[in-house]
Amino acid sequence: MTDFTPVASLIGGLLIGFSALMVMFFHGRIAGISGILSRLLPPWYGMGGVLWRVAFLIGIVVSPFIYQMVTGSAVSQSVSNDKVTMILAGLCVGFGTGIGSGCTSGHGVCGISRLSLRSIVATITFMAFGIITVYIIRHIIGGSA
Amino acid sequence: MVKAIVGFLSGIVFGLGLVLSGMSNPAKVLNFLDIFGTFDPSLIFVMAGAILIVFAGYKLILKRKHPVFAQVFQIPTRKDLDKNLILGAAFFGIGWGIGGFCPGPAISSLLLGSEGIIYFFPAMLVGLTLTKIIKA
């Protein structure tokens, strides 16, 4: 079980959205994390726009420590430590967001906000497959609950 | 340099949003997806908050002539639903359901010391690089 946190989640969502607005306002780009990350991976096509993307990702990496300094409470996480499970998950997420041109931020937040049909269909699809996958793992196989 | 500072600050705001919202905790994500089990609807509020502000904010921002650091706004223009979009979203959903990480939270988890992220993150980079090679 995890606690239902509607207020913190809503405020967190507003912050994510505000960040996406900063990216559009300053750089004129969609704040899609898989896209930003992918741009930094090979094959490389020039150095244009690399600096702000690297800085953006470093900002995400250090943010939990800023959260801990400001609030004084640790960031709690529960992550599977099964090697095969997590490698498989990572491959699927990387491959899927790569050929699907977006993830939760690019399609789910920015795309839906633009009322993009592609992003709406992509979001419904990954939500549905996420739900089906968790259902199979937890309720049919009965694995990690 | 200014671009880097603004980028860094935007990343911090994004990451704080992930942490505060609970999105950076795979257990919370998996419970959100577990609608027939230990369902935690919190992430609906994350999406709602983010979409609300971006929907309103994009309208205002896109009225401007150009972004601060670039000549044009680069907004995706494709409208067709192709095989890659659906196939990719399906794969992403499966991976999300297995590990509870999507790309943003995976990045915010890099230095948080879990064992799982050590396996997940490089695998995700391999997957992204593969598709970039395929698409090229």
Side-chain angles (χ1 to χ4, degrees), chain A residues 2-3 9 26 28 41 77 139, chain B residues 21 28 34 69 74 109 132:
Chain A
T2 47
D3 294 329
S9 289
F26 287 104
L41 295 169
Q77 267 195 319
H139 303 289
Chain B
S21 67
K28 210 162 167 68
D34 192 6
F69 296 138
Q74 304 219 14
S109 301
K132 212 174 158 186

Side-chain angles (χ1 to χ4, degrees), chain A residues 1-6 8-31 33-34 37-45 51-52 55-68 75-83 85-105 107-110 112-118 121-123 125-127 129-131 133-135 137-139, chain B residues 1 3-4 6-21 23-28 30-38 40-43 45-51 53-55 57-58 61-62 64 67-70 72-76 78-82 84-99 101-104 107-112 114-117 119-121 123-129 131-136:
Chain A
M1 286 295 285
T2 47
D3 294 329
F4 177 48
T5 54
S9 289
L10 185 70
I11 297 169
L14 289 170
L15 285 175
I16 293 169
F18 187 79
S19 169
L21 292 181
M22 290 172 77
V23 172
M24 185 58 76
F25 182 80
F26 287 104
H27 300 285
R29 291 279 183 171
I30 297 292
I33 304 301
S34 61
L37 191 57
S38 169
R39 182 68 174 250
L40 302 176
L41 295 169
W44 291 290
Y45 312 102
L51 186 67
W52 77 264
F56 183 83
L57 296 182
I58 293 173
I60 296 181
V61 172
V62 301
S63 63
F65 302 98
I66 294 172
Y67 176 88
Q68 287 175 1
V75 176
S76 70
Q77 267 195 319
S78 173
V79 185
S80 164
N81 58 12
D82 186 85
K83 191 186 275 186
T85 301
M86 294 310 280
I87 289 175
L88 184 65
L91 284 174
C92 287
V93 169
F95 182 76
T97 56
I99 55 168
S101 308
C103 57
T104 337
S105 49
H107 282 313
V109 174
C110 298
I112 288 184
S113 300
R114 296 187 299 114
L115 306 178
S116 152
L117 177 67
R118 280 171 59 85
V121 170
T123 305
T125 305
F126 68 67
M127 290 266 179
F129 273 85
I131 289 167
T133 303
V134 170
Y135 186 81
I137 292 174
R138 288 192 173 177
H139 303 289
Chain B
M1 193 60 196
K3 286 183 190 177
V6 171
F8 181 64
L9 291 176
S10 314
I12 289 175
V13 174
F14 196 99
L16 287 176
L18 290 175
V19 172
L20 183 64
S21 67
M23 193 95 191
S24 61
N25 182 2
K28 210 162 167 68
L30 293 176
N31 282 337
F32 166 68
L33 295 172
D34 192 6
I35 56 176
F36 302 108
T38 52
D40 176 353
S42 303
L43 295 202
F45 289 76
V46 187
M47 293 296 284
I51 290 171
I53 189 169
V54 175
F55 179 79
Y58 270 4
I61 291 170
L62 293 176
R64 301 173 64 87
V68 177
F69 296 138
V72 285
F73 290 107
Q74 304 219 14
I75 309 292
R78 284 183 66 174
K79 303 224 183 306
D80 60 309
L81 301 174
D82 66 321
N84 280 354
L85 180 81
I86 310 292
L87 188 72
F91 264 99
F92 168 38
I94 292 168
W96 201 33
I98 295 173
F101 276 130
C102 52
I107 293 168
S108 72
S109 301
L110 276 177
L111 300 181
L112 290 180
S114 70
E115 189 183 341
I117 194 65
Y119 310 128
F120 182 92
F121 191 72
M124 181 175 83
L125 296 187
V126 168
L128 270 174
T129 305
T131 57
K132 212 174 158 186
I133 293 167
I134 293 170
K135 277 180 159 183

